[in-house]
Amino acid sequence: MSKKILVWVLVSWVLLTLFNYYYMNFFFLAFEWLALVFTLFVVSFIQLIKLIKERKKLSKLRVQYLVVFLVIFLLTLFRSTTNKIIEKIDWQIFYNRRTEIVKKVIDQRLNPNVNWNNYVCELPYEFPIVSNGGNDIGIYRNKKNGKTTVCFWVYRNYFDSPSTHFVFTNDPIEIKTIEEKIKTNPTFNWKIEKNWYRTYGE
């Protein structure tokens, strides 16, 4: 085994993790996660056995193999922690892009545009991915007070499963609802900055 293989494994894991975060369907992700955790556990165990056997003439590469496989095993096993790290980086990288989209929604240059509901807007591009699960956003306009709420999917579940969002809203009614959600479950819901929230659930 060589360092090239180790680098290839690491790069492949990073790409797969990002693909899962931005695209993978929750149903298939559960099966993939189980298979990946099992595989990485077995490989890590094998590397540990080899390291023990070679302890008298231990090479630097053998230690690197064990460390890399153990790290990616743990990061895969504790997927929620890994996803939170990606989420924080994603928020920083695409903050300006999301702010531009919100301005277009407020100016009504972006509106719901699908024929299956009056909430979803398919963005006119696929990259960058500012809303997971298809680069769609949710738009709600309160006709009574003229205020706007825009939802970006962080994690888009299907059927009756809850989703995670970055939410912009200047609607006092929606803000009150979100703040109640934060009080009830602050672990998964919080205020990011003025008018921006991270929410979990319907």
Side-chain angles (χ1 to χ4, degrees), residues 5-200:
I5 295 176
L6 194 59
V7 170
W8 182 86
V9 168
L10 191 55
V11 170
S12 298
W13 179 85
V14 169
L15 292 175
L16 179 62
T17 301
L18 290 174
F19 177 82
N20 289 340
Y21 179 84
Y22 285 109
Y23 288 109
M24 182 61 76
N25 179 282
F26 174 77
F27 178 78
F28 295 111
L29 182 59
F31 291 102
E32 183 203 280
W33 177 79
L34 286 172
L36 194 57
V37 166
F38 176 76
T39 301
L40 289 171
F41 173 78
V42 171
V43 175
S44 297
F45 184 76
I46 291 171
Q47 292 302 317
L48 178 61
I49 296 299
K50 288 183 177 181
L51 184 142
I52 293 170
K53 286 182 178 180
E54 298 172 9
R55 64 186 180 278
K56 292 183 179 179
K57 50 177 182 178
L58 196 59
S59 68
K60 186 178 179 181
L61 185 60
R62 177 61 64 202
V63 175
Q64 289 173 344
Y65 261 83
L66 178 60
V67 169
V68 168
F69 277 106
L70 275 176
V71 168
I72 62 177
F73 165 69
L74 291 172
L75 288 174
T76 303
L77 180 63
F78 300 104
R79 186 181 62 194
S80 60
T81 301
T82 304
N83 285 346
K84 284 179 182 178
I85 294 170
I86 298 172
E87 182 182 320
K88 288 181 180 180
I89 295 172
D90 175 276
W91 167 255
Q92 295 296 330
I93 291 174
F94 296 118
Y95 174 78
N96 290 335
R97 189 65 170 172
R98 291 189 177 103
T99 301
E100 289 175 9
I101 291 169
V102 167
K103 288 178 181 177
K104 289 182 179 179
V105 172
I106 291 173
D107 294 341
Q108 299 197 17
R109 287 180 286 162
L110 282 175
N111 298 289
N113 58 9
V114 298
N115 57 16
W116 37 276
N117 71 26
N118 58 357
Y119 172 72
V120 172
C121 171
E122 292 181 348
L123 295 175
Y125 54 83
E126 294 184 9
F127 298 98
I129 303 166
V130 296
S131 187
N132 301 359
N135 240 9
D136 304 332
I137 59 173
I139 299 172
Y140 172 72
R141 294 189 175 97
N142 190 326
K143 294 179 180 178
K144 293 182 179 179
N145 59 22
K147 301 300 182 179
T148 304
T149 299
V150 183
C151 292
F152 298 84
W153 276 276
V154 173
Y155 193 78
R156 190 172 185 176
N157 280 344
Y158 297 87
F159 307 112
D160 293 328
S161 301
S163 295
T164 307
H165 303 94
F166 290 136
V167 179
F168 169 89
T169 184
N170 56 14
D171 184 349
I173 297 173
E174 186 65 24
I175 289 173
K176 185 177 180 180
T177 300
I178 294 174
E179 287 179 346
E180 286 297 322
K181 187 179 288 189
I182 292 171
K183 288 179 183 178
T184 304
N185 192 352
T187 303
F188 296 102
N189 304 277
W190 58 81
K191 183 176 182 178
I192 303 172
E193 61 176 61
K194 183 180 179 181
N195 298 123
W196 281 100
Y197 300 86
R198 192 266 198 189
T199 66
Y200 172 78

